[in-house]
Amino acid sequence: MRLLLATDAWHPQVNGVVRSVERMAEAAAGLGVEPLMLTPADFASLPMPGYSEIRLSLVTRGRVLARWEQIAPTHVHIATEGPIGHAVRAACLARGQAFTTSYHTRFPEYLAARAPVPEAWSYAWLRRFHAAASGTMVSTPSLERELAGRGFTRLMRWTRGVDTDLFRPRGEDAGADLFPHLPRPIFLSVGRLAVEKNLAAFLALDLPGSKVVVGDGPDRARLQALAPEAHFLGALTGEALARVYAGADAFVFPSLTDTFGIVLLEALASGLPVAAFPVTGPLDVIGGTGAGALDTDLRAAAFAALAIPRERCRAEALRYTWSESARQFYDNIATAHALGPMHRAARPPNGAALPRLG
C-alpha cells in the first residue's frame, strides 16, 4: 500500500489530529505501508486570521495532481477538511479514486463559537464532504451514533492510543519535586487555549490548592486575565509534559466539543484521575471505568477525582495502544478501498440542498 496521507493539521500545531497522523505514519512501515505525506509544509501558506498557529495552504487541484503523478499512490486518506483536504478530495473525484476520511474536529461548534454561522449549515457542508468517501473514521461509539443521526454514512471506528512508556506514574514525590511551592491539591488542565476548549469553566471553579494550565493558543491572554492566580506553563511536550501529568493530583477536562481527547489517555497513563463533563470523549474513555469522575457539576467531579486510586487510572490506560490504533486505521483503509469510489454525495434527511464542494 502506497498511502497518500493528506492533512491540513501539521507542525507547529500541537493537537490530537497532528499526534494521531504522526503516529499512523510512524507505524506504517511495520504494517507494510509506505506513507506519502501531503501537509502544509509542501505548500506556501498563510496564517489563519486570529489563529496564526494554523496555516492555510495555498493549494490547487492542479498542484495536487502534479504531485500525484510523482508519488503514484495506491490508496488515499484525507485527515482534515481544510484546503489540502478539499484539493485532494477533488483530485480523487476527478480520477475516480476511492478514498477514506476521518472526522477529528467538531468544526460546526468551533465555528459557531466564533461567528454567527448556524451549526446545521456547517454539518450539511461536512456531510457532503465526507459522503464522497468510501469510509469515514470516527474515534468513539457516541460520536458514531451522533454523526449517523446527522446523516453521515459509511462510518468506521478508529480509536486512539497513548505512549505508556513516556506517560507513566513517577512516584509519590513527583509533584513535590516539580511544584515545590504550590499549595496542594494540584488540578491540571492540558490543551489548546482556545474558546472552544471551555477552559474558562475550569478556571472559574472554586477549588482548593492550585490550578495549572499547560498549552498555548489565541485565548491565552484572556484566560490569564480571567484567572491571574492560575499557573500557565505554556506549551510542553515529551518528558516535560509527562512529568507535569505525573506531578498533579487531578486532571480537569472542561471541553464540551472534543471528539476524543488524547490528553485523557495521557493523564490516565500517568496515574492521574480525570474530572470531566459527561459528553462525547469523556463518556467513551472514562465512563464506567472508575478511572475518573463525570458530572454536569465540574467542581463536584474535580473533588470526586481526588479519591480515585492512581493505579486504577494506569490500568485503564494500558488498554489503549498506538499499535492497535494503527491496525484499525490501516485495516479500515484497505476495507474501504476494496469497496471502490463512492462519488454520489448523500443529501440531508430533509432534502435541503447542500453547498457545492467541487
Coordinates of all heavy atoms in Angstrom, one line a residue, residues 163-237:
D163 N 1.3 6.6 24.6 CA 2.7 6.1 24.9 C 2.8 5.9 26.4 O 3.1 6.8 27.1 CB 3.7 7.1 24.4 CG 5.1 6.6 24.5 OD1 5.4 5.7 25.3 OD2 6.1 7.3 23.9
T164 N 2.6 4.7 26.8 CA 2.6 4.4 28.2 C 4.0 4.3 28.8 O 4.2 4.1 30.0 CB 1.9 3.1 28.5 OG1 2.4 2.0 27.7 CG2 0.4 3.2 28.2
D165 N 5.0 4.3 27.9 CA 6.4 4.4 28.4 C 6.8 5.8 28.8 O 7.4 6.0 29.9 CB 7.4 3.9 27.4 CG 7.3 2.4 27.2 OD1 6.9 1.6 28.1 OD2 7.5 1.9 26.0
L166 N 6.3 6.8 28.0 CA 6.6 8.2 28.3 C 5.6 8.7 29.4 O 6.1 9.2 30.4 CB 6.4 9.0 27.1 CG 6.5 10.5 27.2 CD1 7.9 10.9 27.7 CD2 6.2 11.2 25.9
F167 N 4.4 8.4 29.2 CA 3.4 8.9 30.2 C 3.1 7.8 31.2 O 2.5 6.7 30.9 CB 2.1 9.3 29.5 CG 2.2 10.4 28.6 CD1 2.3 10.2 27.2 CD2 2.3 11.7 29.0 CE1 2.5 11.2 26.3 CE2 2.5 12.8 28.2 CZ 2.6 12.5 26.8
R168 N 3.7 7.9 32.4 CA 3.7 6.9 33.4 C 3.8 7.5 34.8 O 4.2 8.7 34.9 CB 4.9 5.9 33.3 CG 6.2 6.6 33.5 CD 7.4 5.7 33.2 NE 8.7 6.3 33.7 CZ 9.4 7.2 33.0 NH1 9.0 7.6 31.8 NH2 10.5 7.7 33.5
P169 N 3.3 6.8 35.8 CA 3.5 7.4 37.2 C 5.0 7.6 37.5 O 5.8 6.8 37.1 CB 2.9 6.3 38.1 CG 1.9 5.5 37.1 CD 2.6 5.6 35.8
R170 N 5.3 8.6 38.3 CA 6.6 8.9 38.6 C 6.9 8.8 40.1 O 7.9 9.3 40.6 CB 7.0 10.3 38.1 CG 6.7 10.6 36.7 CD 7.6 9.8 35.8 NE 7.3 10.0 34.3 CZ 8.1 10.6 33.5 NH1 9.2 11.1 33.8 NH2 7.7 10.6 32.2
G171 N 6.0 8.2 40.9 CA 6.3 8.2 42.3 C 5.5 9.2 43.1 O 5.1 10.3 42.5
E172 N 5.3 9.0 44.4 CA 4.5 9.9 45.2 C 5.1 11.3 45.4 O 4.4 12.3 45.6 CB 4.3 9.3 46.6 CG 3.4 8.1 46.6 CD 3.1 7.6 47.9 OE1 3.6 8.2 48.9 OE2 2.4 6.5 48.1
D173 N 6.4 11.4 45.2 CA 7.1 12.7 45.4 C 7.3 13.5 44.1 O 7.9 14.5 44.0 CB 8.5 12.5 46.0 CG 9.4 11.7 45.2 OD1 8.9 11.0 44.3 OD2 10.6 11.7 45.5
A174 N 6.7 13.0 43.0 CA 6.8 13.7 41.7 C 6.4 15.1 41.7 O 7.0 16.0 41.2 CB 6.1 12.9 40.6
G175 N 5.2 15.3 42.4 CA 4.7 16.7 42.4 C 5.5 17.6 43.3 O 5.7 18.7 43.0
A176 N 6.0 17.0 44.4 CA 6.8 17.8 45.4 C 8.1 18.3 44.7 O 8.5 19.4 44.9 CB 7.1 17.0 46.6
D177 N 8.6 17.5 43.8 CA 9.8 17.9 43.1 C 9.5 18.9 42.0 O 10.3 19.8 41.8 CB 10.4 16.6 42.5 CG 11.6 16.9 41.6 OD1 12.6 17.5 42.1 OD2 11.6 16.7 40.4
L178 N 8.4 18.8 41.4 CA 8.1 19.7 40.2 C 7.4 21.0 40.7 O 7.7 22.0 40.1 CB 7.1 18.9 39.3 CG 6.9 19.5 37.9 CD1 8.3 19.6 37.1 CD2 6.0 18.7 37.1
F179 N 6.5 20.9 41.7 CA 5.8 22.0 42.1 C 6.1 22.3 43.6 O 5.1 22.2 44.5 CB 4.3 21.9 41.9 CG 3.9 21.5 40.5 CD1 3.3 20.3 40.2 CD2 4.1 22.4 39.5 CE1 3.0 20.0 38.9 CE2 3.8 22.1 38.2 CZ 3.2 20.9 37.9
P180 N 7.3 22.5 44.0 CA 7.6 22.6 45.5 C 6.9 23.7 46.2 O 6.8 23.6 47.5 CB 9.1 22.8 45.5 CG 9.4 23.4 44.2 CD 8.5 22.8 43.2
H181 N 6.5 24.8 45.6 CA 5.9 25.9 46.3 C 4.4 26.1 46.1 O 3.9 27.0 46.5 CB 6.7 27.2 45.8 CG 8.1 27.1 46.0 ND1 8.7 26.9 47.2 CD2 9.1 27.2 45.1 CE1 10.0 26.9 47.1 NE2 10.3 27.1 45.8
L182 N 3.8 25.2 45.3 CA 2.4 25.3 45.0 C 1.5 24.6 46.1 O 1.8 23.4 46.4 CB 2.0 24.8 43.6 CG 2.6 25.5 42.4 CD1 2.0 24.9 41.1 CD2 2.4 27.0 42.5
P183 N 0.5 25.2 46.6 CA -0.4 24.5 47.5 C -1.1 23.3 46.8 O -1.4 23.4 45.7 CB -1.4 25.6 47.9 CG -0.8 26.9 47.5 CD 0.1 26.6 46.4
R184 N -1.3 22.2 47.6 CA -1.9 21.1 47.1 C -3.4 21.1 47.4 O -3.7 21.8 48.4 CB -1.3 19.8 47.6 CG 0.2 19.7 47.5 CD 0.8 19.7 46.2 NE 0.4 18.4 45.5 CZ 1.1 17.9 44.4 NH1 2.2 18.5 44.0 NH2 0.7 16.9 43.8
P185 N -4.3 20.4 46.7 CA -4.0 19.6 45.6 C -3.8 20.4 44.3 O -4.2 21.6 44.2 CB -5.3 18.7 45.4 CG -6.3 19.6 46.0 CD -5.7 20.4 47.1
I186 N -3.1 19.8 43.3 CA -2.9 20.5 42.0 C -3.9 20.0 41.0 O -3.9 18.7 40.7 CB -1.4 20.3 41.6 CG1 -0.5 21.1 42.5 CG2 -1.3 20.8 40.1 CD1 0.9 20.9 42.2
F187 N -4.7 20.8 40.5 CA -5.7 20.5 39.4 C -5.1 21.0 38.1 O -4.8 22.1 37.9 CB -7.0 21.2 39.7 CG -7.7 20.7 40.9 CD1 -7.6 21.4 42.1 CD2 -8.5 19.6 40.9 CE1 -8.2 20.9 43.3 CE2 -9.2 19.1 42.0 CZ -9.0 19.8 43.2
L188 N -4.9 20.0 37.2 CA -4.2 20.3 35.9 C -5.2 20.2 34.8 O -6.1 19.4 34.7 CB -3.1 19.2 35.7 CG -2.4 19.2 34.4 CD1 -1.5 20.4 34.2 CD2 -1.6 17.9 34.3
S189 N -4.9 21.1 33.8 CA -5.6 21.0 32.5 C -4.6 21.2 31.4 O -3.7 22.1 31.5 CB -6.7 22.1 32.4 OG -7.6 21.9 31.3
V190 N -4.7 20.4 30.4 CA -3.8 20.4 29.3 C -4.6 20.5 28.0 O -5.5 19.8 27.7 CB -2.9 19.2 29.2 CG1 -2.0 19.2 28.0 CG2 -2.1 19.0 30.5
G191 N -4.2 21.5 27.1 CA -4.9 21.6 25.8 C -4.7 22.9 25.2 O -4.0 23.8 25.7
R192 N -5.2 23.1 24.0 CA -5.1 24.3 23.2 C -5.9 25.4 23.9 O -7.1 25.1 24.3 CB -5.6 24.1 21.8 CG -5.4 25.2 20.9 CD -5.7 24.8 19.4 NE -7.1 24.5 19.2 CZ -7.5 23.3 19.0 NH1 -6.7 22.2 19.0 NH2 -8.8 23.0 18.8
L193 N -5.3 26.6 24.1 CA -6.0 27.7 24.8 C -6.9 28.4 23.7 O -6.4 29.4 23.2 CB -5.0 28.6 25.5 CG -4.1 27.9 26.5 CD1 -3.3 28.9 27.3 CD2 -4.9 26.9 27.4
A194 N -8.0 27.9 23.5 CA -9.0 28.5 22.5 C -10.4 28.4 23.1 O -10.7 27.6 23.9 CB -8.9 27.7 21.2
V195 N -11.2 29.3 22.6 CA -12.5 29.4 23.2 C -13.3 28.1 23.2 O -14.1 27.8 24.2 CB -13.3 30.5 22.5 CG1 -13.6 30.2 21.0 CG2 -14.6 30.8 23.2
E196 N -13.2 27.3 22.2 CA -14.0 26.1 22.1 C -13.6 25.0 23.1 O -14.3 24.0 23.4 CB -13.9 25.4 20.7 CG -12.5 24.9 20.3 CD -11.6 25.9 19.7 OE1 -12.0 27.1 19.7 OE2 -10.5 25.6 19.2
K197 N -12.4 25.2 23.8 CA -12.0 24.2 24.8 C -12.6 24.5 26.2 O -12.4 23.7 27.1 CB -10.4 24.3 24.9 CG -9.7 23.8 23.6 CD -10.0 22.3 23.3 CE -9.2 21.8 22.1 NZ -9.5 20.4 21.8
N198 N -13.3 25.6 26.3 CA -14.1 25.8 27.5 C -13.2 25.9 28.8 O -13.6 25.6 29.9 CB -15.1 24.8 27.7 CG -16.3 25.2 28.6 OD1 -16.6 26.4 28.7 ND2 -16.9 24.2 29.3
L199 N -11.9 26.4 28.7 CA -11.0 26.5 29.8 C -11.6 27.4 30.9 O -11.2 27.3 32.1 CB -9.6 26.9 29.3 CG -8.6 25.9 29.1 CD1 -8.2 25.1 30.4 CD2 -9.0 24.9 28.0
A200 N -12.4 28.4 30.5 CA -12.9 29.3 31.4 C -13.7 28.6 32.5 O -13.8 29.0 33.7 CB -13.7 30.4 30.7
A201 N -14.4 27.5 32.1 CA -15.2 26.8 33.1 C -14.3 26.2 34.2 O -14.7 26.1 35.3 CB -16.0 25.7 32.4
F202 N -13.1 25.7 33.8 CA -12.2 25.2 34.8 C -11.6 26.3 35.7 O -11.6 26.2 36.9 CB -11.0 24.5 34.1 CG -9.8 24.2 34.9 CD1 -9.9 23.5 36.1 CD2 -8.6 24.6 34.5 CE1 -8.8 23.2 36.9 CE2 -7.4 24.4 35.3 CZ -7.6 23.7 36.4
L203 N -11.2 27.4 35.1 CA -10.6 28.5 35.8 C -11.6 29.1 36.8 O -11.2 29.7 37.8 CB -10.0 29.5 34.8 CG -8.9 29.0 34.0 CD1 -8.5 30.0 32.9 CD2 -7.7 28.6 34.8
A204 N -12.9 29.1 36.5 CA -13.9 29.7 37.3 C -14.3 28.8 38.5 O -15.0 29.3 39.4 CB -15.1 30.0 36.5
L205 N -13.8 27.6 38.6 CA -14.2 26.7 39.7 C -13.6 27.1 41.0 O -12.4 27.6 41.1 CB -13.7 25.3 39.4 CG -14.4 24.5 38.2 CD1 -13.7 23.2 38.0 CD2 -15.9 24.5 38.3
D206 N -14.4 27.0 42.1 CA -13.9 27.3 43.4 C -13.3 26.0 44.0 O -14.0 25.1 44.5 CB -15.1 27.8 44.3 CG -14.6 28.1 45.7 OD1 -13.4 28.2 46.0 OD2 -15.5 28.2 46.6
L207 N -11.9 25.9 43.8 CA -11.2 24.7 44.2 C -10.1 25.1 45.2 O -9.5 26.1 45.1 CB -10.6 24.0 43.0 CG -11.6 23.5 42.0 CD1 -10.9 23.0 40.7 CD2 -12.4 22.3 42.6
P208 N -9.8 24.2 46.1 CA -8.6 24.4 47.0 C -7.3 24.2 46.2 O -7.3 23.7 45.0 CB -8.8 23.3 48.0 CG -9.5 22.2 47.3 CD -10.4 22.9 46.4
G209 N -6.2 24.5 46.8 CA -4.9 24.2 46.2 C -4.6 25.1 45.0 O -4.8 26.3 45.1
S210 N -4.1 24.5 43.9 CA -3.6 25.3 42.8 C -4.2 24.8 41.4 O -4.4 23.6 41.3 CB -2.1 25.2 42.7 OG -1.5 25.6 43.9
K211 N -4.3 25.7 40.5 CA -4.7 25.3 39.1 C -3.5 25.5 38.2 O -2.9 26.6 38.2 CB -5.9 26.2 38.7 CG -7.2 26.0 39.4 CD -8.2 27.0 39.1 CE -9.5 26.9 39.9 NZ -10.4 28.0 39.7
V212 N -3.2 24.5 37.4 CA -2.1 24.6 36.5 C -2.6 24.3 35.1 O -3.4 23.3 34.9 CB -1.0 23.5 36.9 CG1 0.1 23.5 35.8 CG2 -0.4 23.9 38.2
V213 N -2.2 25.1 34.2 CA -2.7 25.0 32.8 C -1.4 24.9 31.9 O -0.5 25.7 31.9 CB -3.5 26.3 32.3 CG1 -3.9 26.2 30.9 CG2 -4.7 26.4 33.2
V214 N -1.5 23.8 31.0 CA -0.4 23.6 30.0 C -1.0 23.8 28.7 O -2.1 23.2 28.4 CB 0.2 22.2 30.2 CG1 1.1 21.9 29.0 CG2 0.9 22.0 31.5
G215 N -0.4 24.6 27.8 CA -0.9 24.8 26.5 C -0.7 26.2 26.1 O -0.4 27.1 26.9
D216 N -1.0 26.5 24.8 CA -1.0 27.9 24.3 C -2.0 28.0 23.2 O -2.6 27.0 22.8 CB 0.4 28.2 23.7 CG 0.8 29.6 23.8 OD1 -0.1 30.5 24.1 OD2 2.0 30.0 23.7
G217 N -2.3 29.2 22.9 CA -3.3 29.5 21.8 C -3.8 30.9 21.9 O -3.4 31.7 22.7
P218 N -4.8 31.2 21.0 CA -5.2 32.6 20.9 C -6.0 33.1 22.1 O -6.2 34.3 22.2 CB -6.1 32.5 19.6 CG -6.6 31.1 19.6 CD -5.4 30.3 20.1
D219 N -6.5 32.2 23.0 CA -7.3 32.7 24.1 C -6.4 32.9 25.4 O -7.0 33.1 26.4 CB -8.4 31.7 24.4 CG -9.7 32.3 24.9 OD1 -9.9 33.5 24.6 OD2 -10.4 31.7 25.6
R220 N -5.1 32.7 25.3 CA -4.3 32.7 26.5 C -4.4 34.0 27.3 O -4.5 34.0 28.5 CB -2.8 32.4 26.1 CG -1.9 32.4 27.3 CD -0.6 31.8 27.1 NE 0.3 31.8 28.2 CZ 1.5 31.3 28.3 NH1 2.0 30.7 27.2 NH2 2.2 31.3 29.4
A221 N -4.3 35.1 26.6 CA -4.3 36.4 27.3 C -5.6 36.6 28.1 O -5.6 37.0 29.2 CB -4.0 37.6 26.3
R222 N -6.7 36.3 27.4 CA -8.0 36.5 28.1 C -8.1 35.5 29.3 O -8.6 35.9 30.4 CB -9.1 36.2 27.1 CG -10.5 36.4 27.7 CD -11.6 36.0 26.7 NE -11.7 34.5 26.6 CZ -12.5 33.8 27.4 NH1 -13.2 34.3 28.4 NH2 -12.6 32.5 27.1
L223 N -7.6 34.3 29.2 CA -7.7 33.3 30.3 C -6.8 33.7 31.4 O -7.2 33.6 32.6 CB -7.4 31.9 29.8 CG -8.4 31.3 28.8 CD1 -7.8 30.0 28.2 CD2 -9.7 31.1 29.4
Q224 N -5.6 34.2 31.1 CA -4.7 34.7 32.2 C -5.3 35.8 33.0 O -5.2 35.9 34.2 CB -3.4 35.0 31.6 CG -2.6 33.8 31.2 CD -1.2 34.1 30.8 OE1 -1.0 34.9 29.8 NE2 -0.2 33.6 31.4
A225 N -6.0 36.7 32.2 CA -6.6 37.9 32.9 C -7.8 37.4 33.7 O -8.1 38.0 34.8 CB -7.1 38.9 31.8
L226 N -8.5 36.4 33.3 CA -9.6 35.8 34.0 C -9.2 35.2 35.3 O -10.0 35.2 36.3 CB -10.4 34.8 33.1 CG -11.6 34.2 33.6 CD1 -12.8 35.2 33.7 CD2 -12.1 33.0 32.7
A227 N -8.1 34.5 35.3 CA -7.6 33.8 36.5 C -6.2 34.0 36.7 O -5.3 33.2 36.5 CB -7.9 32.3 36.3
P228 N -5.8 35.2 37.2 CA -4.4 35.6 37.5 C -3.8 34.7 38.5 O -2.5 34.6 38.5 CB -4.5 37.0 37.9 CG -5.9 37.2 38.4 CD -6.7 36.3 37.6
E229 N -4.5 34.0 39.3 CA -4.0 33.1 40.3 C -3.5 31.8 39.8 O -2.8 31.0 40.4 CB -5.0 32.9 41.5 CG -6.1 31.9 41.2 CD -7.2 32.4 40.3 OE1 -7.1 33.6 39.9 OE2 -8.1 31.7 39.9
A230 N -4.0 31.4 38.6 CA -3.7 30.1 38.0 C -2.2 30.2 37.4 O -1.7 31.3 37.1 CB -4.6 29.8 36.8
H231 N -1.6 29.0 37.2 CA -0.3 28.9 36.8 C -0.3 28.4 35.3 O -0.6 27.3 35.1 CB 0.5 28.0 37.7 CG 0.5 28.5 39.1 ND1 1.5 29.3 39.7 CD2 -0.3 28.2 40.1 CE1 1.2 29.5 40.9 NE2 0.1 28.8 41.2
F232 N 0.1 29.3 34.4 CA 0.2 28.9 33.0 C 1.6 28.6 32.6 O 2.5 29.5 32.7 CB -0.4 30.1 32.1 CG -1.8 30.3 32.2 CD1 -2.4 31.0 33.4 CD2 -2.7 29.9 31.2 CE1 -3.8 31.2 33.5 CE2 -4.1 30.1 31.3 CZ -4.6 30.7 32.5
L233 N 1.8 27.4 32.2 CA 3.2 26.9 31.9 C 3.5 26.9 30.4 O 4.6 26.6 30.0 CB 3.3 25.4 32.4 CG 3.0 25.2 33.9 CD1 3.4 23.7 34.2 CD2 3.8 26.2 34.8
G234 N 2.6 27.3 29.5 CA 2.8 27.3 28.1 C 2.7 25.9 27.5 O 2.4 25.0 28.2
A235 N 3.1 25.8 26.3 CA 3.1 24.5 25.6 C 4.3 23.7 26.0 O 5.4 24.1 26.0 CB 3.1 24.7 24.1
L236 N 4.0 22.4 26.4 CA 5.0 21.5 26.8 C 4.8 20.2 26.0 O 3.7 19.8 25.6 CB 4.9 21.1 28.3 CG 5.2 22.3 29.3 CD1 4.9 21.8 30.7 CD2 6.5 22.9 29.1
T237 N 5.9 19.5 25.7 CA 5.9 18.2 25.0 C 6.8 17.2 25.7 O 7.6 17.6 26.5 CB 6.2 18.3 23.5 OG1 7.6 18.9 23.4 CG2 5.3 19.3 22.8

